Amino acid sequence: MTMPSNTQSYLSDRGAQAAFKPVRVDWEIYQKAMENHYDAISKPDGCFPMNVAENHLCWDLLREKVQKVCKEKTIPDWVSSYGDPAGVPSFRQATAEYLSEFLVKQKVDPETLAFSVGATSTIEMTAFLLANPADTAVIPAPSYPVYTMDIGVIPEIKRYDLQTHHELHELQAGIPINTEQLEAAKQEIEAQGSRFRLLILTSPDNPTGGIYSQAQLESVADWCEANEVHLIVNEIYGLSRIDISHPELQKDYPNPIPFLSFGQLMAKRKSPFLHLWYSFSKDLGISGFRIGLTHSYNADFITGYRNAGLSHAISNHTQWVMQEVLEDREFMADFVAASQSALTQSYVIVIRNLRTLGIPYSPSYGSLFVWMDLSEFLKEDSEQGQHQLWLEIFEESGVLLTPGAGFGHSKKGLFRMVISSIDHEALEVAITRLKKYILNMRDRNTK
Ligand SMILES: Cc1ncc(COP(=O)(O)O)c(C=O)c1O
């Protein structure tokens, strides 16, 4: 990343802040790791960048379909013109049907959808339209570090990391959120002169892979509606689900939580305070296509999104290609099944090894991650100690995990591994390298 050479860059105050603040602390090292990426034949000593949430497991299938569309179909005239900034009607219709069939499992009205370039812009637009500058968004910790920038840079909303637990074993029966915690957060935020305006839940969660039960969603929604807090459930990993009935995994879920899309609850309540986010970046593995959306029964919010979203509109060509793909239901059903099966296989490879090592992890229902506890190797129980350990793991094993910094969690020494950015064979090599590092560390520590 190029850093400005001096403080006289002739930028605005906001521009200067942006110029000196990288999006993520691991971005620079990620670029370097990508240049030296492992390859079984040409770079067997290369490294494994497993810190960025990419899903490459079924790109071959989707690429073939996209290429077929581009080869066989004529591009319609509307593609070259301006369109509805919140998504052209035919694309909104195709996506509504996809969501109805695969995610929400009940009819989604295309008029309740507004699109923009990836979940990133969806999050920014939502914060911009639903909260005022200096309002607060509460997010259960640990959570996606980039939320801070998405809600902070343009909408100027503050992030509050709600500590629902400290140790991983507290997640065994699900993410322990309750309305007493929300009430306490509200009082603390108000005492600081701000307003609790947004509650953001991610389900399945990044990084823990946890999901919220129907009872939790209902009670949190009741509380939010009563307190005029907008509740948004980010279901960006909604179809990236692990098959928890897999024989090697079953025992981690003694009381399994059924996945319920928040869309079902929204359809029942049709409240102006309840919303859902989705994106094609993870479940379909096409982060580069930049397609994100908000689903809401708040008609003014959707209209505001359309009016304020001109600079965030998705290219019509992208919308057309994806509409053609989504309309092939049989292909989509096969794709979703293949993707979930490949993801489960990746998850099993990692969990099998963590179990033999006795490394604690959060049992995942979905997402592209394993969230593990490596705190036994911390030289110092602090942010700094955590950062050092993260670098050391990379230097010694070539495995680049996501550092805990920015996830907002109280416990140090927890790391996220992205399990879907490399194929199964490479994943076996990566986990063997990590295993070697762990065994060496334990050996060193006992001497
Ligand atoms: C929870 C969450 N929200 C949003 C995003 C950003 O998604 P997009 O690539 O669609 O902007 C990510 C990406 O990692 C994520 O994990």
Side-chain angles (χ1 to χ4, degrees), residues 209-246:
I211 55 174
Y212 296 91
S213 69
Q214 178 168 3
Q216 281 179 313
L217 291 174
E218 297 272 7
S219 79
V220 169
D222 284 344
W223 187 89
C224 284
E225 287 188 66
N227 287 280
E228 304 203 341
V229 167
H230 288 281
L231 167 60
I232 310 119
V233 182
N234 187 353
E235 293 187 4
I236 187 168
Y237 298 102
L239 296 176
S240 299
R241 295 223 297 278
I242 303 293
D243 175 11
I244 61 167
S245 68
H246 187 286

Side-chain angles (χ1 to χ4, degrees), residues 7 64 91 172 199 206 231 268 279 286 300 347:
T7 48
E64 199 181 311
F91 177 61
Q172 210 66 38
L199 174 64
N206 172 2
L231 167 60
K268 237 178 10 196
S279 153
I286 46 173
D300 290 343
Y347 184 74

Side-chain angles (χ1 to χ4, degrees), residues 127-327:
F128 180 80
L129 292 164
L130 299 182
N132 289 327
D135 279 348
T136 297
V138 172
I139 307 176
S143 195
Y144 179 51
V146 189
Y147 277 139
T148 312
M149 309 286 277
D150 296 345
I151 63 169
V153 174
I154 305 233
E156 298 181 29
I157 309 303
K158 296 185 235 178
R159 170 176 178 155
Y160 177 103
D161 294 301
L162 183 71
Q163 307 300 321
T164 64
H165 67 284
H166 185 68
E167 299 290 346
L168 278 189
H169 66 78
E170 294 171 69
L171 293 170
Q172 210 66 38
I175 301 166
I177 193 172
N178 58 53
T179 54
E180 287 75 39
Q181 295 161 357
L182 298 179
E183 201 57 56
K186 184 169 186 280
Q187 283 176 21
E188 195 184 325
I189 289 163
E190 286 172 0
Q192 288 164 8
S194 179
R195 179 174 66 148
F196 182 167
R197 185 59 170 165
L198 308 176
L199 174 64
I200 300 173
L201 307 182
T202 311
S203 184
D205 190 29
N206 172 2
T208 66
I211 55 174
Y212 296 91
S213 69
Q214 178 168 3
Q216 281 179 313
L217 291 174
E218 297 272 7
S219 79
V220 169
D222 284 344
W223 187 89
C224 284
E225 287 188 66
N227 287 280
E228 304 203 341
V229 167
H230 288 281
L231 167 60
I232 310 119
V233 182
N234 187 353
E235 293 187 4
I236 187 168
Y237 298 102
L239 296 176
S240 299
R241 295 223 297 278
I242 303 293
D243 175 11
I244 61 167
S245 68
H246 187 286
E248 284 191 60
L249 302 179
Q250 262 174 4
K251 68 171 188 205
D252 278 348
Y253 310 87
N255 299 301
I257 304 167
F259 177 81
L260 176 91
S261 169
F262 190 56
Q264 287 205 13
L265 218 120
M266 285 167 51
K268 237 178 10 196
R269 300 188 181 212
K270 297 205 168 50
S271 160
F273 288 103
L274 309 180
H275 324 278
L276 182 147
W277 289 329
Y278 188 67
S279 153
F280 290 0
S281 298
K282 316 299 176 178
D283 291 347
L284 304 188
I286 46 173
S287 49
F289 281 44
R290 307 311 298 136
I291 302 172
L293 68 95
T294 287
H295 169 37
S296 175
Y297 288 90
N298 184 330
D300 290 343
F301 174 32
I302 298 294
T303 305
Y305 205 107
R306 177 166 288 119
N307 291 340
L310 292 180
S311 59
H312 293 247
I314 306 167
S315 130
N316 281 0
H317 187 260
T318 303
Q319 295 187 58
W320 169 68
V321 170
M322 282 316 293
Q323 150 192 334
E324 292 290 337
V325 172
L326 296 179
E327 279 169 0

